[in-house]
Amino acid sequence: LAKTTQPISMDSYEGQEVNITCSHNNIATNDYITWYQQFPSQGPRFIIQGYKTKVTNEVASLFIPADRKSSTLSLPRVSLSDTAVYYCLVARMNRDDKIIFGKGTRLHILP
Amino acid sequence: DSGVTQTPKHLITATGQRVTLRCSPRSGDLSVYWYQQSLDQGLQFLIHYYNGEERAKGNILERFSAQQFPDLHSELNLSSLELGDSALYFCASSVEYFYNSPLHFGNGTRLTVT
């Protein structure tokens, strides 16, 4: 599984756009990039997944540059309820890989 | 609601005991994953089953074992429990292998060992 690096924590304010960047320098050709959100005492929740360029859904956007060595999760107009831990995962087709979650990014939204 | 059901929600037991955690995956999902999350710690991957077969194993203790049954539900057995085993245990399921199948997590079982 490709190693990922994310900021440990971030603060932002309600109504702002928040961008969380994840570095994955050794990403392989078959790797997909997936982001999860976790609230305290709850299981992680799938947010968005992409392979290249840009993906958008009703919750977030995911930007992936051409070299795919990083990705940016963009949360538009955050609210207090977006306070959570956000995990970036890079996983490949090899099903023998261990599915490892990193420490994630603790996002704290301020009023 | 993710569609993944974990029981029980809470479990309190004493050191040295054995417990079984149960997970029912989403309808149609063949893969089941188990994770452990201690207080303020990250998610530790324990084990992955696909359609009844073990596919990947993380740093799972020898005191822990798991299996996936023909109806695709899974059980995680924890024995000779220690205080340090107190944690949230999450089960997740996916349709296929991980690479293009997002994981859907249950709400976890909170295990307290006293």
Side-chain angles (χ1 to χ4, degrees):
Chain A
L1 198 69
K3 180 178 169 60
T4 60
T5 302
Q6 305 174 234
I8 294 174
S9 65
M10 293 179 64
D11 289 340
S12 187
Y13 293 92
E14 280 193 293
Q16 298 294 305
E17 177 184 77
V18 172
N19 295 313
I20 305 174
T21 297
C22 179
S23 296
H24 27 80
N25 291 321
N26 60 340
I27 191 169
T29 303
N30 293 335
D31 287 346
Y32 281 71
I33 301 157
T34 311
W35 285 80
Y36 292 84
Q37 174 193 56
Q38 185 180 26
F39 298 114
S41 298
Q42 294 186 25
R45 181 177 73 105
F46 168 78
I47 300 176
I48 197 165
Q49 183 182 69
Y51 182 78
K52 62 180 179 180
T53 63
K54 177 183 174 182
V55 179
T56 298
N57 61 23
E58 66 279 5
V59 177
S61 295
L62 178 59
F63 298 92
I64 305 169
D67 66 6
R68 304 199 328 120
K69 293 185 182 299
S70 67
S71 59
T72 299
L73 174 72
S74 181
L75 305 173
R77 298 184 59 79
V78 294
S79 65
L80 295 177
S81 62
D82 291 316
T83 294
V85 178
Y86 293 82
Y87 297 96
C88 162
L89 266 75
V90 175
R92 61 191 56 179
M93 294 176 67
N94 179 359
R95 61 178 180 265
D96 293 331
D97 276 350
K98 300 173 184 178
I99 297 86
I100 307 297
F101 281 74
K103 297 284 188 188
T105 297
R106 290 186 176 274
L107 176 64
H108 186 205
I109 304 302
L110 303 167
Chain B
D1 183 8
S2 68
V4 177
T5 303
Q6 289 189 248
T7 57
K9 291 184 179 179
H10 301 277
L11 201 49
I12 301 174
T13 189
T15 55
Q17 296 299 304
R18 172 190 168 94
V19 297
T20 297
L21 313 183
R22 182 187 170 99
C23 170
S24 294
R26 291 189 323 161
S27 177
D29 284 1
L30 300 178
S31 273
V32 169
Y33 305 79
W34 286 97
Y35 288 85
Q36 177 193 56
Q37 188 170 41
S38 303
L39 190 64
D40 290 333
Q41 297 296 311
L43 287 152
Q44 301 298 315
F45 169 68
L46 296 178
I47 201 163
H48 168 209
Y49 279 85
Y50 174 75
N51 202 20
E53 294 186 9
E54 181 185 305
R55 285 307 195 186
K57 186 178 279 191
N59 294 324
I60 186 168
L61 300 172
E62 285 191 10
R63 301 184 285 108
F64 294 3
S65 65
Q67 60 183 122
Q68 186 179 26
F69 294 87
D71 66 353
L72 301 177
H73 91 272
S74 178
E75 293 181 356
L76 179 67
N77 299 297
L78 315 176
S79 61
S80 303
L81 285 167
E82 302 176 358
L83 295 177
D85 297 327
S86 295
L88 264 170
Y89 291 84
F90 290 107
C91 164
S93 72
S94 68
V95 171
E96 253 282 346
Y97 308 128
F98 181 72
Y99 69 97
N100 65 350
S101 298
L103 300 186
H104 298 273
F105 283 79
N107 285 326
T109 293
R110 182 176 294 281
L111 173 66
T112 302
V113 182
T114 62

